[in-house]
């Protein structure tokens, strides 16, 4: 249920961007409401940045500690990079969250917390 709620929140927050992209593609904004909103749900589910943000947010919110503003900044960067990078070096928290969500497998990214390991990987 939390996954659906977060998807709906993402769609609402990003609706102007999604509509603008649809317009750039020559699609009417009404296409997003096709099939009772299935198209809009698919856009949120299949857009890598939205998917990563949703999955990491769900894991982040499930933790027992308060969410800091810096967590949100780190998450934005992580959401942008994870779907497109082969190797990611980041802090333990986000590497662990991505692993728990299975995002490294989905996008084929190698996740590492120690920058010194880059020499061995390259």
């Amino acid at each position: 249920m939390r996954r659906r709620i977060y998807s709906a929140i993402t769609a609402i927050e990003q609706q102007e961007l999604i509509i603008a992209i649809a317009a750039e593609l020559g699609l009417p904004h009404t296409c997003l409401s096709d099939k009772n909103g299935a198209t809009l749900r698919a856009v949120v589910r299949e857009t890598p940045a939205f998917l990563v943000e949703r999955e990491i947010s769900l894991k982040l919110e499930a933790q027992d500690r308060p969410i800091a503003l810096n967590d949100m900044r780190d998450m934005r960067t992580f959401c942008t990079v994870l779907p497109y990078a082969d190797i990611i070096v980041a802090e333990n928290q986000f590497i662990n969250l991505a692993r728990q969500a299975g995002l490294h497998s989905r996008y084929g990214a190698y996740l590492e917390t120690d920058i010194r390991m880059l020499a061995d990987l390259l």
Side-chain angles (χ1 to χ4, degrees):
M1 180 58 83
R2 289 177 50 222
R3 187 167 276 110
R4 287 183 179 177
I5 292 168
Y6 201 86
S7 292
I9 290 169
T10 300
I12 290 167
E13 288 178 348
Q14 301 296 330
Q15 68 183 340
E16 290 179 16
L17 175 64
I18 295 169
I19 291 169
I21 292 170
E24 285 288 322
L25 295 172
L27 302 170
H29 71 279
T30 56
C31 74
L32 297 170
S33 62
D34 291 351
K35 302 175 190 168
N36 276 343
T39 303
L40 181 58
R41 287 191 302 276
V43 166
V44 172
R45 185 179 56 247
E46 299 300 325
T47 302
F50 294 156
L51 178 83
V52 172
E53 180 180 344
R54 179 186 73 189
E55 295 303 317
I56 297 236
S57 294
L58 291 173
K59 298 293 182 190
L60 191 61
E61 289 173 359
Q63 293 180 340
D64 289 338
R65 66 174 195 80
I67 298 172
L69 181 59
N70 197 42
D71 292 336
M72 303 316 289
R73 288 187 202 118
D74 290 345
M75 185 176 62
R76 288 286 181 196
T77 303
F78 207 76
C79 293
T80 304
V81 171
L82 190 128
Y84 307 107
D86 294 326
I87 301 169
I88 299 172
V89 179
E91 63 184 28
N92 283 336
Q93 178 182 6
F94 282 94
I95 294 296
N96 290 335
L97 294 174
R99 284 183 180 144
Q100 289 171 19
L103 296 171
H104 64 297
S105 299
R106 181 179 182 111
Y107 294 108
Y110 183 83
L111 304 177
E112 184 57 59
T113 58
D114 187 358
I115 199 163
R116 295 172 289 195
M117 295 301 294
L118 277 178
D120 297 336
L121 297 170
L122 300 174

